Amino acid sequence: MVFNIKDSAQRSIKTEYPREVKKMEHVWIPMSDGAKLAATIWLPVDAGDKPVPAILEYIPYRKNDFTAIRDSARHPYFAGHGYASIRVDIRGSGDSDGILVDEYLKQEQDDALEVFNWIVQQPWASGSIGMIGKSWGGFNGLQVAARQHPALKTIITIDSTDDRYADDVHYRGGTVMASDMLWWSSTMFVYNARPQDPEIVGESWKENWLDRLENTPPLVEEWMRHQRRDDYWKHGSICEDYSDIKIPVFAVSGWQDGYTNAVFRLLEHLPKESKGLIGPWAHDYPEVATPEPAIGFLQECVRWWDHWLKGIDTGIMEEPKLTSWIQDSELPKVTYDERPGKWVGDASWPSENVQEKALWLANNKLTETRVNEGTTSIPSVQEHGFYTGVFCPFGQPGDLPGDQRLENGKAVVFTSETFEESTVLLGQPVLYAEVSSDQENALIAVRLCDKAPTGESTLISWGMLNLTHRNSHEHPETLVPGEKYKVAVELDVLGQQIEEGHQLEVAIAPTTWPQAWPSAKPVTLTLHAGQDTKLVLPVRTPQQEDEDCGKFGPPETAPVMEIEVLREEKRTREIRHDLINGVWKLEDFSDEGERKLLHNGVEHGSINYNTFKIKENEPLSAHVQCEWELKVGRGDWQTKLVSVSEMTSDESLFYLINTLTAYEGEQEIFHKTWKTEIPRDFI
């Protein structure tokens, strides 16, 4: 996770604003239980005489170091346009009191409501509040909106989800996300254990740090204790009752992000004034995200805030409900600097411009004519999936899927006829299939690819389903070997043009490593042709109004704070195949660099190394290991955290080992290992 602002010739730096801005550092917001939350506030100088609405970003990623660079680009910008822009570290993170023991706790929401209460009592506050956040801050924006505080008038949620079980880094389609379950836990394990800053909190920093080290849990243990959709995951999933959100929401994401599906669901179910924006971007803010085109997103935010928090008619509500970037067909690359395409707009979602089109699967073909009989055997290849990219790209080199010809020989592929005209797909493809399995527990993984006339195969969507979850994620059911089941596999949403002369490929397998933890035994699926085995595509008809859509301004930000780069970033991502022993291994190394913030002297940096290993024909050989080294310091005060997290399984149990070591200067002051065994539950 890199929190830098990427240099771009397209981005302009704005230094002149309607309101002069001051920065209030180290502001303490008191909670009713005596705890204090640490905040930084950017405020118009004259807000005491001319009160302003407030905008809150509320996340655990440390405002004084790890997010300080990106905060400097956005919060002064909002303040300069007449807002109190407030950045708060949630309880247990940064300089705030306490320990952060899990994601999205009720305590986190309760504290947010108290922050609102504090804001409206300030002499510079007009009484209207908005929230903005990416990822964690997008999640909790939705969750806090559902609590219906009267001062909260709107939120902007970026790269987030409404469904913590079915559409997050832990489980997808009822399968364990092997690629992210342990990695994300290992990330927060070491992030949450970082110390407070002694220059801000004083001598108590050491006592608090030792408390965090001892009592910060490896979150993967709790996540793996809930392998089905139970009350644990329903908490914080606003899809459980969309009607809890009464205010308009601006939902934003990108086609390379891991959290694009939610935009469509939010627009369908939230208040009618809500809007959506989807670009070509990875997991980042649209004014700095890759691939291009980046847009003037901060200007769009101000237009949204001005409408809902100041009552100014900015024209934003006359624009389409959903604005989407339709990507042109491109040959596969693991890194794109740019994705050519065009903006389109839909006045509603679901859209009258999108119609379903069915293609039937049989005899390795996708056809518009239904084939009523025939079967296809789909065996397990444990190393299938290595070239499908990372689940949630952050825009680092090597994140994206490679040429899917490298995968297609390890799956069964159904290929369409050549497209006779260009076709636009916008929405969610779904594979409906009648299948049977030779095992009681199995999964099905589906890839949708755009095949060029020259043979290259570009992954454009994918999905997977634990077949024991075919009827319910909450109440799984064992498969009866040989019995036929009708299932629906939801693939990720897409906005994609399929060019004339191209073909579509649907690749199906009972494995996808390291995306899904493999079934305990090798599985052979049988796909049965007929009326219940088809791919349903969302085909969009172009509209005349599309010509006027997406006329965004150029990207602009406030000046980014000055830093000294102590170590440059470096990324490697390599797949190794031991031919003699039949072992496949993905090594993902990310040195996120080290930098010094010149305004406060804080130095910080991190290194992350992840390995995903499996042996041919042996699903129980699956092994994930995630390692972190993380530094925070200033002058003579230097701290370092080192963690190693490991996950394996047998037929009945998952095995988790997490080790955390802490150093003050060169001295080791803490070392602890957590070992846990957790039963497999229909996984």
Side-chain angles (χ1 to χ4, degrees), residues 25 31 101 224 255 321 333 419 441 474 504 590 665:
E25 296 192 80
M31 299 290 102
V101 296
M224 288 300 297
W255 297 124
K321 186 176 187 70
K333 294 181 181 180
F419 277 58
N441 194 310
E474 190 171 0
L504 284 179
S590 182

Side-chain angles (χ1 to χ4, degrees), residues 379-389 403-411 445 447 509-519 522-523 575-579 581-586 612-622:
S380 291
V381 179
Q382 298 302 328
E383 63 271 21
H384 172 251
F386 272 102
Y387 296 92
T388 54
D403 193 330
Q404 295 302 284
R405 290 180 294 187
L406 297 165
E407 298 286 5
N408 287 347
K410 303 167 189 173
R447 289 179 290 114
T511 58
T512 179
W513 177 260
Q515 288 72 30
W517 201 268
S519 306
V523 170
I575 295 170
R576 302 183 183 276
H577 181 197
D578 179 346
L579 291 163
N581 296 302
V583 175
W584 290 72
K585 186 178 183 181
L586 170 62
F612 306 89
K613 185 169 61 175
I614 202 162
K615 189 171 184 178
E616 295 167 6
N617 304 314
E618 295 186 17
L620 297 181
S621 66

Side-chain angles (χ1 to χ4, degrees), residues 441-459:
N441 194 310
L443 66 90
I444 181 171
V446 182
R447 289 179 290 114
L448 178 61
C449 305
D450 176 5
K451 182 180 180 181
T454 46
E456 295 92 338
S457 182
T458 303
L459 184 64

Side-chain angles (χ1 to χ4, degrees), residues 1-3 61 103 134-135 168-170 176-191 218-220 223-224 259 283 390-394 396 399 514 517 571 573 588-590 592 606-612 623-628 643-647 656 658:
M1 293 174 62
V2 181
F3 292 115
Y61 300 132
E103 300 174 309
K134 176 182 78 76
S135 200
D168 198 359
V169 298
H170 318 93
V176 171
M177 285 282 285
S179 59
D180 286 73
M181 171 72 80
L182 187 68
W183 171 77
W184 181 235
S185 168
S186 74
T187 303
M188 294 312 299
F189 184 46
V190 69
Y191 275 25
L219 304 184
V220 66
W223 299 343
M224 288 300 297
Y259 296 99
H283 195 69
V390 303
F391 159 66
C392 186
F394 280 78
Q396 291 181 284
D399 275 352
W517 201 268
R571 174 81 184 285
R573 186 170 164 84
D588 191 335
F589 173 80
S590 182
E592 297 175 350
S606 58
I607 298 172
N608 179 216
Y609 176 57
N610 308 302
T611 59
F612 306 89
H623 178 276
V624 180
Q625 184 164 304
C626 304
E627 304 172 34
W628 279 92
S643 70
V644 180
S645 299
E646 186 177 6
M647 182 171 174
L656 304 170
N658 290 273

